[in-house]
């Protein structure tokens, strides 16, 4: 008879994901999953700007409708983001992110096949609905899987997010050129990339969270103290409203930059390929800066000073575009790229202001949904002002006024306050 020697703890580790070895592997998988999905959270939007003129020509799209197209992301994020906490409670955050990412892939693959503006907008909205769910739940996943590294991990996936935005902006025109100048192929390729992010989340959805709880147990159903919905308890918090206002104002500015910055440079006689690269710079800068700023913000009790500094960079960039867009386009792109780091700062503040993961999921849903709702008119108004005034000076003044308001909201949101 052969006696098999049992190695203490090994089989238990297989059964119990909370064991150190399994926990390390789970954290590694979570990092990979976060990076892959974050990379795919912006190509749906940033790939469109460099070929927007071609899309408008092919689909017969007016300037006002193009402005509406740049508002669709905010609309989807506001409406769909509200449902994310309820879905997370029922199926678990990781499973919902997996499903949302699959929806992104389907929408991006089908969008270029649209023969008209309405279907193009509808398929864009489908992809953006999947992105909206992931946007709300990624801070929750970070709080669950990395409760002791919120700032660092938020910065890490913000780096991937900005990298994806930059790559999509820079590569869409060359991809279109590789397929005979057909913009439909250049846009559709990003659906294939999004599909690659789905499998890790499917695996992660079957694994317990960092504290050993089941995958959906750390997002408890609302009780009497928290109320019935994702905004329960948030509407009475000045800090939550400040975060929502800051998030919304930075989102409006970001989607104007994403949707219109290449057109601003093209109207100043900058070649289309160069305009795409200039926008890519605004996103590429976020790769190192997002990590550095989020890590710094995570160690500070107050983040108001960072919000002020980012606002000043944005105002300076707008001033340069207003005065002489073609004189120093790379400088203006760099300034706006630094200003766009207000997005990872907002995410970091959401993670820091919530006392626990249950509060973070409600705060994230409230701040992002309310914020995106506030941001919806901004790209549309910029497009309408551009078409009405036949230039960019009036829209840029409007954006500068909003940046001042964003700066003020950032001061309030950055105070050392807790929600929940």
């Amino acid at each position: 008879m052969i006696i098999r020697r049992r190695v203490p703890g090994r089989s238990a580790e297989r059964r119990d994901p909370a064991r150190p070895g399994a926990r390390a592997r789970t954290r590694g998988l979570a990092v990979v999953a976060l990076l892959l999905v974050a990379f795919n959270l912006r190509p749906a939007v940033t790939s469109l700007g460099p070929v927007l003129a071609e899309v408008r020509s092919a689909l017969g799209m007016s300037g006002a409708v193009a402005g509406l197209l740049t508002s669709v992301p905010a609309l989807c994020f506001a409406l769909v983001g509200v449902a994310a906490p309820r879905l997370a409670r029922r199926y678990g955050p990781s499973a919902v992110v997996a499903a949302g990412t699959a929806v992104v892939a389907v929408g991006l693959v089908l969008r270029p096949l649209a023969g008209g503006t309405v279907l193009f907008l509808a398929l864009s909205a489908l992809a953006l609905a999947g992105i909206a769910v992931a946007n709300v739940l990624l801070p929750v996943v970070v709080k669950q899987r990395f409760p002791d590294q919120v700032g660092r991990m938020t910065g890490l996936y913000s780096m991937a997010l900005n990298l994806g935005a930059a790559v999509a902006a820079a590569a869409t025109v060359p991809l279109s050129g590789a397929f005979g100048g057909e913009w439909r192929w250049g846009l559709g390729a990003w659906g294939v990339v999004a599909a690659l992010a789905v499998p890790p989340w499917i695996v992660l959805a079957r694994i317990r969270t960092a504290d050993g709880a089941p995958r959906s147990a750390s997002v408890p159903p609302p009780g009497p103290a928290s109320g019935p919905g994702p905004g329960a308890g948030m509407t009475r918090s000045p800090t939550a409203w400040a975060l929502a206002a800051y998030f919304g104002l930075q989102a409006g500015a970001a989607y104007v930059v994403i949707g219109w910055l290449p057109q601003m440079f093209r109207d100043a006689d900058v070649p289309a390929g160069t305009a795409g690269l200039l926008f890519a710079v605004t996103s590429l800068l976020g790769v190192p800066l997002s990590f550095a700023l989020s890590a710094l913000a995570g160690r500070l009790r107050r983040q108001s000073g960072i919000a002020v500094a980012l606002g000043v960079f944005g105002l300076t960039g707008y001033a340069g575009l207003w005065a002489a867009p073609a004189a120093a386009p790379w400088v203006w792109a760099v300034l706006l790229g630094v200003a766009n780091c207000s997005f990872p700062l907002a995410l970091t503040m959401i993670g820091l202001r919530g006392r626990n993961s249950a509060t973070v999921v409600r705060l994230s849903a409230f701040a992002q949904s309310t914020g995106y709702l506030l941001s919806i008119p901004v790209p549309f108004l910029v497009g309408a002002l551009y078409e009405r005034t036949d230039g960019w000076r009036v829209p840029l003044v409007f954006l500068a006024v909003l940046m001042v308001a964003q700066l003020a909201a950032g001061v309030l949101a950055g105070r050392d306050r807790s929600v929940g």
Side-chain angles (χ1 to χ4, degrees):
M1 182 177 62
I2 299 175
I3 299 175
R4 296 184 183 276
R5 183 182 177 186
R6 181 179 177 183
V7 179
R10 181 170 296 177
S11 60
E13 181 175 306
R14 289 197 192 99
R15 294 192 303 269
D16 185 3
R19 294 281 182 171
R23 186 161 58 244
R25 290 191 294 272
T26 299
R27 280 201 164 198
L29 176 63
V31 171
V32 172
L34 281 168
L35 293 179
L36 284 176
V37 76
F39 186 89
N40 286 283
L41 291 182
R42 289 298 176 267
V45 181
T46 61
S47 62
L48 186 58
V51 293
L52 183 58
E54 289 75 14
V55 173
R56 288 179 59 189
S57 177
L59 301 181
M61 189 183 297
S62 68
V65 173
L68 177 62
L69 182 60
T70 57
S71 296
V72 168
L75 178 62
C76 289
F77 295 167
L79 297 180
V80 180
V82 174
R86 190 174 301 276
L87 292 171
R89 284 194 297 270
R90 181 166 183 176
Y91 302 106
S94 297
V96 177
V97 173
T101 307
V103 170
V104 174
V106 171
L108 293 186
V109 167
L110 295 179
R111 180 172 69 168
L113 305 179
T117 299
V118 174
L119 185 56
F120 189 89
L121 286 171
L123 290 169
S124 296
L126 178 65
L128 292 163
I131 293 173
V133 171
N135 264 337
V136 170
L137 294 182
L138 287 190
V140 182
V141 173
V142 169
K143 190 76 170 181
Q144 288 179 347
R145 305 282 180 180
F146 308 93
D148 55 338
Q149 301 179 52
V150 171
R152 181 177 299 177
M153 293 308 303
T154 301
L156 189 63
Y157 85 70
S158 295
M159 286 174 58
L161 187 149
N162 281 283
L163 182 61
V167 171
T172 298
V173 171
L175 279 173
S176 301
F179 289 99
E182 179 53 66
W183 60 267
R184 298 179 189 271
W185 287 98
L187 290 183
W190 302 108
V192 178
V193 177
L196 299 177
V198 178
W201 284 97
I202 294 176
V203 176
L204 196 65
R206 301 174 61 85
I207 302 176
R208 294 171 179 264
T209 58
D211 57 5
R215 56 187 178 274
S216 61
S218 53
V219 187
S226 59
M234 297 295 125
T235 56
R236 296 188 295 273
S237 170
T239 300
W241 277 109
L243 280 168
Y246 185 73
F247 198 98
L249 290 165
Q250 68 81 28
Y255 281 108
V256 167
V257 170
I258 289 171
W260 287 111
L261 186 62
Q263 190 67 51
M264 292 182 192
F265 286 124
R266 291 184 71 171
D267 287 349
D269 296 326
V270 175
T274 303
L277 288 174
L278 285 164
F279 169 71
V281 167
T282 67
S283 296
L284 196 59
L285 274 174
V287 175
L289 288 179
S290 294
F291 180 77
L293 285 176
S294 295
L296 174 62
R299 290 195 294 267
L300 297 175
R301 295 176 63 88
R302 296 171 57 94
Q303 293 78 36
S304 301
I306 300 177
V308 170
L310 295 178
V312 171
F313 273 95
L315 288 171
T316 307
Y318 289 150
L321 287 172
W322 185 89
W330 296 99
V331 175
W332 316 143
V334 167
L335 290 169
L336 293 176
V338 175
N340 272 358
C341 288
S342 54
F343 175 73
L345 175 63
L347 292 178
T348 303
M349 289 193 294
I350 289 172
L352 293 173
R353 296 293 172 264
R355 295 183 187 276
N356 50 48
S357 60
T359 303
V360 170
V361 73
R362 292 187 293 114
L363 179 58
S364 180
F366 175 75
Q368 294 199 45
S369 297
T370 305
Y372 280 125
L373 189 64
L374 293 173
S375 74
I376 288 171
V378 177
F380 177 76
L381 289 173
V382 167
L385 287 172
Y386 167 59
E387 191 168 52
R388 179 65 62 89
T389 62
D390 196 28
W392 287 109
R393 289 200 160 191
V394 172
L396 285 167
V397 171
F398 172 63
L399 289 171
V401 172
L402 293 184
M403 183 61 72
V404 172
Q406 176 186 321
L407 191 152
V411 170
L412 297 176
R415 296 177 300 170
D416 185 19
R417 300 286 191 277
S418 293
V419 178

